[in-house]
Amino acid sequence: MADKQISLPAKLINGGIAGLIGVTCVFPIDLAKTRLQNQQNGPRIYASMSDCLIKTIRSEGFCGMYRGAAVNLTLVTPEKAIKLAANDFFRHQLSKDGQKLTLVREMLAGCGAGTCQVIVTTPMEMLKIQLQDAGRIEAQRKLIGQHAGGGAAKVNVVHLKSPTALQLAIDLLKDKGIAGLYKGLGATLLRDVPFSIIYFPLFANLNSLGRRNADGSAPFYISFLAGCFAGCAAAVAVNPVDVVKTRLQSLACGYHEDTYSGVKDCISKILRHEGPSAFLKGSYCRALVIAPLFGIVQVVYFLGVGEFVLSLLPGQKR
């Protein structure tokens, strides 16, 4: 039995609302992921995700865990809307007379969705990473200063003077033009295209398991579990590329930390100085971010929040 048909405007609303809810819930874990991935050979501030979150609250306050969230909340709506709508569009174009898509066609649809979303994802991640990592850079500088002065190594209050996302965007546009906001585009494509190739076919097949509702749609719990599992699997699979992307998009570096000229240079230096295990940095954080995020996305999507919102508009049928 086919899934229920959802209009494009409803899909866009569903994706946007789900993105806002999901990002609000998991953003502190995403901040920990960014800071753990960016730690290199200099003084390491954080030992784990929990250690990072505890030290962030102590040094920057509770709001410090949401540093960079504004840009994410602003752009996550178009990003998630593009991803979900593009995947459905490509699935529809690749389907033959409503028949079930083959695995290859499902992967092609996911590839198209991942390619489309980087238009928004790349500048969003570029700005978000600078704001998220500012606390780590400042904490490292304070720690080095304490060691140099013979003081005890403890976490002090960090007084950040980092610019806002808007100021960063303006500065990048002035200095490097639109290309400044799209630094790391290649690495973003290498992450998001494989992610979508893995996620969407896996979700579609998991979501088709078990009993169906009367209208042919999947039950609430199946959509949620399928979204969580597919998101977790895809996130861990592409984590090595996510580490490379995070490093390339970071404009500020800590003490004794490498800088990179491109994807190949980044991979080479990470292997040489940190070993293969560095590509798994933040993988469990990323899984904890993506799994509930996509679970929430799919639940809102299949609950039909978008259709309900559209039904409230004048001239729409209830």
Side-chain angles (χ1 to χ4, degrees), residues 143-213:
L143 182 61
I144 293 170
Q146 287 175 352
H147 285 171
K154 60 181 181 179
V155 179
N156 286 343
V157 175
V158 177
H159 300 287
L160 291 175
K161 297 180 180 179
S162 58
T164 63
L166 181 60
Q167 290 172 322
L168 280 171
I170 293 172
D171 290 342
L172 285 170
L173 287 171
K174 284 182 179 178
D175 295 340
K176 300 180 181 179
I178 192 68
L181 289 174
Y182 281 87
K183 183 181 179 183
L185 174 62
T188 306
L189 278 168
L190 288 173
R191 182 196 67 172
D192 289 350
V193 171
F195 179 94
S196 295
I197 288 175
I198 296 169
Y199 172 79
F200 284 111
L202 182 57
F203 169 78
N205 283 278
L206 291 174
N207 196 50
S208 66
L209 300 176
R211 63 180 181 82
R212 315 296 283 178
N213 293 325

Side-chain angles (χ1 to χ4, degrees), residues 79-279:
E79 185 215 22
K80 289 294 178 285
I82 289 171
K83 179 194 282 278
L84 292 170
N87 179 68
D88 279 358
F89 172 79
F90 287 118
R91 287 178 69 89
H92 176 73
Q93 294 300 314
L94 291 168
S95 64
K96 293 180 178 180
D97 302 324
Q99 295 181 358
K100 179 178 174 63
L101 287 175
T102 64
L103 179 61
V104 173
R105 289 177 180 267
E106 287 183 332
M107 293 173 73
L108 286 173
C111 178
T115 303
C116 290
Q117 80 168 83
V118 298
I119 298 171
V120 176
T121 303
T122 306
M124 177 183 76
E125 294 269 312
M126 181 69 188
L127 298 174
K128 181 195 73 171
I129 286 172
Q130 315 316 316
L131 297 171
Q132 285 183 326
D133 204 38
R136 182 188 70 88
I137 299 293
E138 183 67 19
Q140 189 188 75
R141 288 172 182 166
K142 285 184 175 291
L143 182 61
I144 293 170
Q146 287 175 352
H147 285 171
K154 60 181 181 179
V155 179
N156 286 343
V157 175
V158 177
H159 300 287
L160 291 175
K161 297 180 180 179
S162 58
T164 63
L166 181 60
Q167 290 172 322
L168 280 171
I170 293 172
D171 290 342
L172 285 170
L173 287 171
K174 284 182 179 178
D175 295 340
K176 300 180 181 179
I178 192 68
L181 289 174
Y182 281 87
K183 183 181 179 183
L185 174 62
T188 306
L189 278 168
L190 288 173
R191 182 196 67 172
D192 289 350
V193 171
F195 179 94
S196 295
I197 288 175
I198 296 169
Y199 172 79
F200 284 111
L202 182 57
F203 169 78
N205 283 278
L206 291 174
N207 196 50
S208 66
L209 300 176
R211 63 180 181 82
R212 315 296 283 178
N213 293 325
D215 60 359
S217 63
F220 179 95
Y221 69 93
I222 289 183
S223 294
F224 180 79
L225 292 175
C228 287
F229 184 84
C232 182
V236 174
V238 302
N239 193 76
V241 188
D242 189 56
V243 172
V244 172
K245 183 200 73 68
T246 300
R247 297 280 182 91
L248 288 174
Q249 288 188 317
S250 297
L251 297 177
C253 290
Y255 184 68
H256 279 179
E257 290 184 346
D258 291 326
T259 56
Y260 312 102
S261 59
V263 173
K264 185 178 178 181
D265 180 55
C266 184
I267 294 173
S268 176
K269 287 181 178 177
I270 290 175
L271 283 172
R272 190 184 321 127
H273 299 150
E274 302 172 64
S277 61
F279 291 108

